[in-house]
Amino acid sequence: MSALLDGDLAAAGTTAGVTLTEYFVTDRARWLWRFRLGQMAADPGRARWMARQAVVGDEGLVVGHAGFHGPPDEVGTVEIGYSIAPPFRRRGYARSTLIELLRRAAAEPAVVTVRATISPDNVASLATLSGFGFARVGEQWDEEDGLELVYEAPARRDSPARWEGSRQSPGCG
């Protein structure tokens, strides 16, 4: 993340083991890396919960980034976040990334609930979330993003196998 803050895609890609695109050094992305690095400096144990690249296929195509906003809180809730680079949108990668995040959350014994917060204007993200058992539980004001709708779902599903149909499920490396 430090290399990305410096705009050094080559060094960041070498560290990550994949080729990263300009999407990782946009102003919005740099804001995220700065924020996450601050969180990790305050609590190094948070690092494993932070953003990772969303990688598709054996060729290691990086389509975006995804992760959790931090470890589970005192009641076992984690908040997910994901972003797909514009050239890769509307191809099912956000859905596949969401599936991977839900699988990771379900594999963590301390996680009880998964939260997602989405701008009411973000029709694509709202559509991506539908069908995954999320229920709207409220709304909040975010200093960076403005009004957000808050959705939650249980971390463990009766049948996670129903998500297996995705042909290009990215890993989050």
Side-chain angles (χ1 to χ4, degrees):
M1 288 185 202
S2 294
L4 291 171
L5 276 177
D6 293 338
D8 192 345
L9 281 172
T14 298
T15 301
V18 293
T19 301
L20 300 174
T21 67
E22 293 291 325
Y23 188 63
F24 284 79
V25 292
T26 62
D27 288 343
R28 178 77 175 154
R30 284 182 171 168
W31 174 90
L32 178 62
W33 310 142
R34 192 174 300 106
F35 183 72
R36 294 294 181 233
L37 282 169
Q39 288 179 304
M40 290 185 287
D43 180 3
R46 298 175 74 97
R48 74 182 195 92
W49 293 93
M50 296 299 156
R52 302 170 184 265
Q53 322 73 265
V55 181
V56 176
D58 295 335
E59 68 280 359
L61 177 65
V62 179
V63 298
H65 53 82
F68 300 92
H69 291 226
D73 65 14
E74 63 281 348
V75 295
T77 300
V78 291
E79 185 172 341
I80 58 172
Y82 54 89
S83 183
I84 304 301
F88 301 107
R89 292 180 182 162
R90 304 192 59 80
R91 297 187 190 181
Y93 293 130
R95 181 181 186 281
S96 296
T97 300
L98 175 58
I99 290 168
E100 183 64 25
L101 289 169
L102 291 172
R103 284 183 183 147
R104 285 182 178 236
E108 293 285 341
V111 177
V112 176
T113 303
V114 178
R115 176 177 293 147
T117 58
I118 302 172
S119 165
D121 298 332
N122 192 337
V123 176
S125 283
L126 292 169
T128 298
L129 212 59
S130 69
F132 285 93
F134 281 86
R136 184 172 166 189
V137 296
E139 55 186 50
Q140 67 184 22
W141 184 262
D142 182 87
E143 291 301 320
E144 183 68 22
D145 298 323
L147 179 64
E148 296 176 326
L149 305 178
V150 180
Y151 291 85
E152 292 183 349
R156 284 157 203 64
R157 316 282 193 214
D158 293 334
S159 178
R162 70 178 181 215
W163 302 330
E164 298 295 327
S166 178
R167 290 181 291 126
Q168 297 187 327
S169 182
C172 292

